[in-house]
Amino acid sequence: MTAISGQRSTAVRAGEAAEEDLRALFGQSIAVFASLVGPTHVVETANPAFFATVGEERARTGVPVAEMMPELAGQGFVELLDGVYRTGEPYTGRDARIVMGTGPHAREAFFDFTYEPRRDAGGTVTGIRVIGVETTQVKHAQRLMAEHRAMLEQIARQAPLAEVLDGMARCIENLAPDQVLVSVLLADPDGRHLRHGAAPSLPEFYNQAIDGIATGEGVGSCGTAAHRREPVIVTDIATDPFWDDFRDLAERAGLAACWSMPILARDGSLLGTFAMYHRTPRVPQDADLALARVFADTAALAIERHHVEQAKTAAEARAKEANEELAKAVRAERQLRAEAEQRAAASAELADRMRAAAAAQAARPHPEHCQLGGAQGCTEPAKIKIADSWGDAAWGCDAHVEEAILNVRSVFIASEELGGLAAYVHR
C-alpha cells in the first residue's frame, strides 16, 4: 500500500508540475490557455490572453466558465466541454465562430482551439485544458478581401452607382457579426443636403424621411458627420442630443445606434455619408471602424467615378448638341447662299428684261416722270411700262418697276410682242 501510495503521490506531483509548465509556457503567449476543473468546468487558472479575450472586467478564477461567460449558452461550446469531460476524447475546432460579450459590447470572434482532458493518477478525467488561437482578423480579412474585390470589379466595369452602393450595403450587412443596417447618403453638389443613395434594409418610410436632410451640427449622426468631415459615433440614439429631432423616427424604425462616417473625395470635398445602424445600443470595435473606413473609401471611389462618367456624358451631350447646331447652321448657310444665288440670277434676268423693255419702249409715247412713286410721287424719268392681269398699266423708273415686279405677283412688263386678248379676239 505504501509503495502504491508513493507512486500515486509521485504521479500527482508530476501532473502538477506539468500544469505549472503549461502555465509558464502560455503565460505571455498570445494563444489562449485555461485549465478547467470538475464537471462544471471551473476556471482553475488561465493566462492573460484568455482573460483579455473574455474581458478584464470578468477576469477571475474559481467560477464555472458558463458563469463567467453566460453568452456561451446556446453556442455549443459548453456542450463540447461536457462531451470531452464525459468521454475523455479530445476535441479540435477550426475557425469556430463565437459571439463574445453581451449587449452593446458583443462582438464576433473566430478561434482554432483544442479541448484536452486532464486526468488524475488513476486516469480519471478531472478537468479540461483549453488551448486556442484567435483567427478573427484573418477570417474577417479573407471575407473582406473577397467582397472588396467584387466591388472593385463592379466599379471597373462601370456598373450603375445605385447597383454598386446597394451591393456594398448588402455586403457589409453580411460581413458584420451582428445585425447591422447600412445606409449611404449622397451629397448635393453644394454639400448642404444629403440624398438617398442606398439602404436596402432600412424601412422605406425612414429613407423617405431623411432624404434631403441638411448637413449641420447636431443633425443626427450623418448630418453632423458631413458637417464635421469626421466620423460621428452615436452608441445610444435614445439619449444622444444629436438625435433630438429624429428620435421618434428612429424609434419607429427600431434603430438604437448609428455610427456615421463622411465619404470624402480626394480633394477633401464632401461626397456623402456612410452609416451603420444597430437595433440595440452598441459601442463599435476597432474592426467595425476599420470596416467602415474601407467601405467609405470604396464608396468614394465609386461616387467619384460616377461623377466623372456624369461629366463625360454631359460633355458628350453638349458636344453632340453643338455639332447638331453647327450642322444646322451650315445647312442654313448653304440654303441662304443658294437662295441668294437664285435671287441674284433672277435679279440679273430681270435686269436684262428691263433693259430690253426700256429699249423696246423708248420710242413709244410715255409720260415724262415715273408714275409708281405713290402719294409722294417720283421725279425719275419713266422708262418702262408694266401692267397686271386686271388690265391696269403704268410707266415707271427702273427702281420702282423692279420693286413692283418683285412685290406684286400679278405685275409684268407690258410688251406688244406678247399680243394679248386683242390678238385673240381678232384672230
Side-chain angles (χ1 to χ4, degrees), residues 296-326:
D297 290 344
T298 307
L301 178 62
I303 296 169
E304 283 195 288
R305 180 68 175 267
H306 176 68
H307 287 175
V308 169
E309 291 301 319
Q310 278 189 321
K312 180 181 176 182
T313 300
E316 290 174 348
R318 289 194 298 270
K320 181 180 179 182
E321 184 179 357
N323 287 336
E324 290 175 350
E325 290 297 323
L326 178 60

Side-chain angles (χ1 to χ4, degrees), residues 19 23 33-46 50-51 60-69 78 81-82 85 118 126-130:
E19 286 295 316
R23 283 194 290 271
F33 170 79
S35 183
L36 312 180
V37 65
T40 59
H41 318 301
V42 174
V43 179
E44 183 179 59
T45 185
F50 177 86
F51 288 128
R60 65 188 190 277
T61 58
V63 297
V65 69
E67 181 180 331
M68 177 184 292
M69 303 174 66
V78 175
L81 287 171
D82 292 340
Y85 190 87
R118 294 171 54 188
T126 60
I128 298 174
R129 298 186 191 94
V130 178

Side-chain angles (χ1 to χ4, degrees), residues 55-284:
E56 295 295 341
E57 71 282 356
R58 305 192 289 184
R60 65 188 190 277
T61 58
V63 297
V65 69
E67 181 180 331
M68 177 184 292
M69 303 174 66
E71 68 270 20
L72 292 180
Q75 297 193 58
F77 294 98
V78 175
E79 290 77 6
L80 287 172
L81 287 171
D82 292 340
V84 172
Y85 190 87
R86 183 177 62 255
T87 64
E89 296 292 330
Y91 178 86
T92 298
R94 299 291 183 190
D95 279 336
R97 179 182 181 274
I98 178 173
V99 176
M100 309 286 292
T102 58
H105 298 281
R107 74 178 182 93
E108 179 188 55
F110 291 86
F111 284 88
D112 288 345
F113 69 94
T114 298
Y115 291 163
E116 292 185 354
R118 294 171 54 188
R119 301 179 185 274
D120 61 13
T124 301
V125 176
T126 60
I128 298 174
R129 298 186 191 94
V130 178
I131 303 171
V133 176
E134 185 167 0
T135 60
T136 305
Q137 290 185 338
V138 174
K139 189 74 173 178
H140 284 176
Q142 290 172 341
R143 291 166 60 186
L144 176 61
M145 287 176 62
E147 295 290 353
H148 192 247
R149 187 181 304 111
M151 287 180 53
L152 292 177
E153 289 173 355
Q154 268 192 315
I155 297 171
R157 64 178 173 83
Q158 299 181 12
L161 180 62
E163 179 183 327
V164 174
L165 296 181
D166 184 81
M168 181 182 73
R170 295 180 188 278
C171 165
I172 298 170
E173 290 174 352
N174 292 332
L175 284 175
D178 299 294
Q179 186 182 21
V180 60
L181 301 92
V182 172
S183 168
V184 179
L185 297 178
L186 303 176
D188 277 347
D190 61 7
R192 295 181 180 178
H193 294 86
L194 298 172
R195 303 292 177 182
H196 174 74
S201 300
L202 286 174
E204 186 60 27
F205 75 84
Y206 185 85
N207 290 333
Q208 291 178 359
I210 66 171
D211 185 22
I213 64 166
T215 60
E217 187 69 16
V219 186
S221 300
C222 294
T224 306
H227 173 70
R228 292 182 176 180
R229 303 292 203 275
E230 63 183 34
V232 172
I233 307 300
V234 172
T235 59
D236 189 353
I237 289 175
T239 60
D240 197 287
F242 286 172
W243 283 80
D244 285 347
D245 294 336
F246 305 94
R247 190 166 289 116
D248 292 342
L249 178 67
E251 185 177 357
R252 283 178 56 207
L255 306 175
C258 180
W259 316 331
S260 183
M261 186 164 294
I263 302 172
L264 303 177
R266 283 168 291 183
D267 62 3
S269 60
L270 180 68
L271 297 174
T273 59
F274 169 84
M276 299 171 72
Y277 291 87
H278 293 270
R279 298 292 191 187
T280 58
R282 271 187 60 83
V283 176

Side-chain angles (χ1 to χ4, degrees), residues 234-427:
V234 172
T235 59
D236 189 353
I237 289 175
T239 60
D240 197 287
F242 286 172
W243 283 80
D244 285 347
D245 294 336
F246 305 94
R247 190 166 289 116
D248 292 342
L249 178 67
E251 185 177 357
R252 283 178 56 207
L255 306 175
C258 180
W259 316 331
S260 183
M261 186 164 294
I263 302 172
L264 303 177
R266 283 168 291 183
D267 62 3
S269 60
L270 180 68
L271 297 174
T273 59
F274 169 84
M276 299 171 72
Y277 291 87
H278 293 270
R279 298 292 191 187
T280 58
R282 271 187 60 83
V283 176
Q285 305 293 322
D286 289 343
D288 296 320
L289 298 178
L291 182 67
R293 284 192 296 269
V294 167
F295 281 94
D297 290 344
T298 307
L301 178 62
I303 296 169
E304 283 195 288
R305 180 68 175 267
H306 176 68
H307 287 175
V308 169
E309 291 301 319
Q310 278 189 321
K312 180 181 176 182
T313 300
E316 290 174 348
R318 289 194 298 270
K320 181 180 179 182
E321 184 179 357
N323 287 336
E324 290 175 350
E325 290 297 323
L326 178 60
K328 187 187 298 183
V330 169
R331 288 194 298 270
E333 189 273 336
R334 288 174 178 171
Q335 184 177 354
L336 290 174
R337 182 181 299 172
E339 291 174 355
E341 290 174 352
Q342 290 175 355
R343 287 194 299 270
S347 179
E349 180 185 357
L350 178 60
D352 289 343
R353 289 170 53 204
M354 287 173 60
R355 281 194 297 270
Q361 297 175 358
R364 291 175 60 85
H366 57 273
E368 181 180 358
H369 299 293
C370 173
Q371 298 173 326
L372 303 175
Q376 296 179 352
C378 178
T379 60
E380 291 295 317
K383 294 183 178 181
I384 303 171
K385 182 181 181 180
I386 58 176
D388 63 18
S389 58
W390 295 98
D392 294 326
W395 287 79
C397 64
D398 291 337
H400 281 123
V401 166
E402 182 178 1
E403 181 180 336
I405 290 174
L406 293 176
N407 291 290
V408 182
R409 292 176 59 86
S410 62
V411 167
F412 55 88
I413 297 174
S415 173
E416 291 182 350
E417 295 178 357
L418 294 176
L421 185 59
Y424 176 76
V425 172
H426 300 291
R427 61 186 184 283

